Amino acid sequence: MSKTTLVALAALAAPAAPATALAQHPLRHPADAVEIQFARSQPVAHYTLRVDTVDLSAFAVELRLRNVPDTFRLAMVAHPEYDDRYWRYVEDLRVAAAGGPGAVTRADSALWQVVAPGGEAVVRYRIRLPAAESPRAAWRPFLAATGGLVGGPHSFMYVVGATLAPAHVTLELPSTWEAVTGLEPTADPRTFFAPSAAVLVDSPMLVGQLRSWRFAVDGVPHRVVYWPLPGAAAFDTTALVSAIERLARGAVALFGRAPYRDYSFLLQDGAYGALEHRNSVTLGAPSTELASDRRSLLAEIAHEYFHTWNLMRIHPAEYGDVDYRPPPRTRGLWWSEGLTMLYADLLLRRAGLGAFDSTRVAHLEGLMGRYFGSPGNSRFSPESVSVIAYGTAPGALGDYSASTHLQGELLGAMLDLIVRDATNGARSIDDVMRAMLERFSGERGFGGRDVERTVAHVCGCTVRPFFEAHVRGSQAIDFDRYLRLIGMRARVSWTPALDRDGRPAADLRVSAWQPPGENALSLLISNPASVWGRAGLHSGDRLVAVNGAAVPSGEEFRGLRNRLKNGDTVTVEVRRATGPWRTSVVVAGYERPVVRLEEISAATERQRALRAQWIAGSPR
Ligand SMILES: [Zn+2]
């Protein structure tokens, strides 16, 4: 749909839309207003999702609709961060109607027009799963002989304009499989209830032969579920579940109560990554990692679980109701991701679960080292890095890279010091987080100035210059200014980067990715001061040859790069708008920053007391 059509529809629809329906159903896209009729006369939906082990390359979905008009639209939801565009895998879509022949035609990539006279319709389709990836992303659907992941935006179409319509979902699974999901249970163990389309697509279903454990926090049930690969490594399940329980207790204690009816940790063997949902998390948890060192998995679990509050409840204003069109990019991810990083570390410490860094001081030193090590972090404002963090092609920052997670965690750490200092230790970032929940977990999400106002309210101080300089602006964080509040300062030294064996590491700060629909790889330079940047290469250069030979895939490029040693000379031929270009890169070592925080000589008693409080990191 063109922008002008949207504007025209908005002008037409706004005065006519009924106030009560609008209040419950935020109209992010005015085109939906023309279908507001559904708010008064909701369709009733019943989905049946069928898995047949005879063919694990697809699953079937049947959608029975009652109370629908003769013509309506179906769509698949675009996830704001992980839009996997599963509309590409819809097959055999057809409709049967109560009052005559039905018809379904594609109106746009993720949108279908359905004609089904008689008020009732049965829509059937299959999702043909794309070729298995290795390793597998934990949030994408898959099917294997002993289980899989189904549901979510990858499986279910919704009726456009009727996102508040309730639905039941029945699973038809092999007899030895069970199903765990955040959806509400019903009397039938294979049928679940979703009060809205948003809940339906945000509640993936882990199915199969599962191991599961339970615990309660203040009477609220929590489940930890594990789908093992055949021959999975044995690990200490009691220790894992008890660690997760301690994390959950810490987060619930911070906010005072759990914001959900029940919670499911959906852990999967043989997968990587994770995705937060309103009362569940899908998370890759290889058994080999659980058996050897589960610290990084616990950090990831803490992060995703904290998103239950910070992102799912405290949400950026741009993230509204479900839609088949991707939502506008948000400037607030530095808060949603960065503060979630800060709390993942803090929750692990509060639960006594051995964070990576021995102390909060060491943790901050490590973060600051990474911040200085990649100049993009202090060159681009956190708001602008938020905007390109998800769904943007790599290389948006030219020959730099920046992390919204890292920028946000450091901003959160500095704001914590500001609040502690301004309130003489009576308040901390915990109070800011609780105030954010109070203000922005309803229909209204937070916008650009809202975090600033909330911090200012909690500390009773002025933080506008901080936000102007370091959040909206791109001034490097002046750490010493805020560290002084707790009687500390940073000493930054540059030392040769070392490899695992303690020898000077080669500068491999270059990568390549495959732009869709092109045959050449595109280079990514993350630091113009790297040997690659200094040799004249730029992000976006199309790779023609390395040492005279074509490089067909990103994987081959990585292999080639990782075999390079200091002193090697590499000839790189590229293509750019100005024509072909070649250069020679001499691989060499490089320096990285090491940050040490130390006490300033004139530290006062008050500063020392604030520091001790901050280091303890205990809840307030
Ligand atoms: Zn996250």
Side-chain angles (χ1 to χ4, degrees), residues 276 303-304 307 337 390 405:
E276 68 281 352
H303 177 96
E304 304 300 335
H307 271 321
E337 291 296 358
Y390 292 117
H405 292 67

Side-chain angles (χ1 to χ4, degrees), residues 290-526:
L290 285 166
S292 53
D293 181 359
R294 46 168 200 270
R295 276 185 311 170
S296 72
L297 277 173
L298 280 179
E300 200 166 351
I301 291 172
H303 177 96
E304 304 300 335
Y305 180 64
F306 197 76
H307 271 321
T308 308
W309 286 268
N310 192 33
L311 189 59
M312 299 311 297
R313 266 78 184 181
I314 306 166
H315 61 101
E318 292 84 355
Y319 291 4
D321 197 6
V322 291
D323 207 301
Y324 56 91
R325 291 153 293 202
R329 302 271 161 74
T330 171
R331 298 188 163 272
L333 278 184
W334 69 270
W335 175 271
S336 301
E337 291 296 358
L339 274 287
T340 301
M341 293 299 291
L342 186 147
Y343 273 95
D345 179 69
L346 211 45
L347 287 181
L348 287 170
R349 287 179 201 284
R350 288 177 181 174
L353 287 171
F356 277 97
D357 305 304
S358 54
T359 63
R360 293 196 80 190
V361 170
H363 185 66
L364 186 52
E365 289 171 342
L367 295 176
M368 289 172 62
R370 285 173 49 211
Y371 181 84
F372 293 127
S374 186
N377 288 313
S378 53
R379 191 182 172 93
F380 297 93
S381 78
E383 285 203 347
S384 67
V385 175
S386 293
V387 170
I388 55 110
Y390 292 117
T392 308
L397 300 179
D399 296 337
Y400 294 90
S401 77
S403 159
T404 198
H405 292 67
L406 175 65
Q407 288 179 322
E409 184 171 2
L410 283 167
L411 291 172
M414 297 304 110
L415 287 170
D416 193 13
L417 301 184
I418 291 170
V419 173
R420 286 170 188 272
D421 172 66
T423 60
N424 216 3
R427 290 181 169 189
S428 76
I429 196 76
D430 281 3
D431 298 276
V432 178
M433 197 45 87
R434 282 188 286 262
M436 287 291 287
L437 182 73
E438 228 167 83
R439 294 174 177 206
F440 305 110
S441 63
E443 208 140 278
R444 181 164 169 246
F446 66 89
R449 303 264 167 177
D450 288 324
V451 183
E452 176 191 323
R453 288 195 196 102
T454 308
V455 175
H457 176 81
V458 168
C459 70
C461 64
T462 305
V463 285
R464 172 143 302 174
F466 181 93
F467 279 81
E468 283 297 333
H470 309 308
V471 178
R472 293 185 283 275
S474 56
Q475 256 181 53
I477 302 173
D478 179 3
F479 291 103
D480 279 352
R481 180 171 171 183
Y482 307 107
L483 288 169
R484 191 179 308 126
L485 303 175
I486 55 168
M488 300 195 95
R489 69 168 178 188
R491 203 171 275 289
V492 185
S493 56
W494 290 77
T495 116
L498 301 177
D499 65 15
R500 244 179 249 165
D501 304 321
R503 291 179 305 227
D507 185 349
L508 307 181
R509 293 175 292 176
V510 62
S511 56
W513 68 289
Q514 179 73 66
E518 289 192 32
N519 46 26
L521 296 176
S522 181
L523 284 184
L524 277 175
I525 305 292
S526 61

Side-chain angles (χ1 to χ4, degrees), residues 177-228:
W177 288 21
E178 56 178 321
V180 178
T181 169
L183 291 176
E184 287 179 33
T186 67
D188 172 2
R190 290 292 163 96
T191 298
F192 301 89
F193 176 72
S196 68
V199 173
L200 174 72
V201 301
D202 190 47
S203 307
M205 305 157 127
L206 187 61
V207 297
Q209 291 156 15
L210 308 172
R211 306 193 59 188
S212 72
W213 302 268
R214 285 169 186 276
F215 61 87
V217 179
D218 298 343
V220 177
H222 292 67
R223 277 180 297 193
V224 179
V225 182
Y226 193 68
W227 177 74

Side-chain angles (χ1 to χ4, degrees), residues 22 51 55 81 99 137 139 150 192 195 200 220 223 228 244 250 262 275 320 357-358 385 455 506 560 583 619:
L22 278 174
V51 174
D55 179 9
E81 289 159 24
W139 62 89
V150 293
F192 301 89
L200 174 72
V220 177
R223 277 180 297 193
I244 293 176
D262 57 50
L275 184 55
D357 305 304
S358 54
V385 175
V455 175
L560 212 150
T583 186

Side-chain angles (χ1 to χ4, degrees), residues 76-89 130 133 137-141 153-154 275:
M76 288 180 87
V77 170
H79 190 277
E81 289 159 24
Y82 293 70
D83 185 9
D84 289 326
R85 302 183 300 140
Y86 262 50
W87 44 263
R88 294 175 293 169
Y89 309 121
E133 27 164 33
W139 62 89
R140 291 202 188 110
H154 309 86
L275 184 55

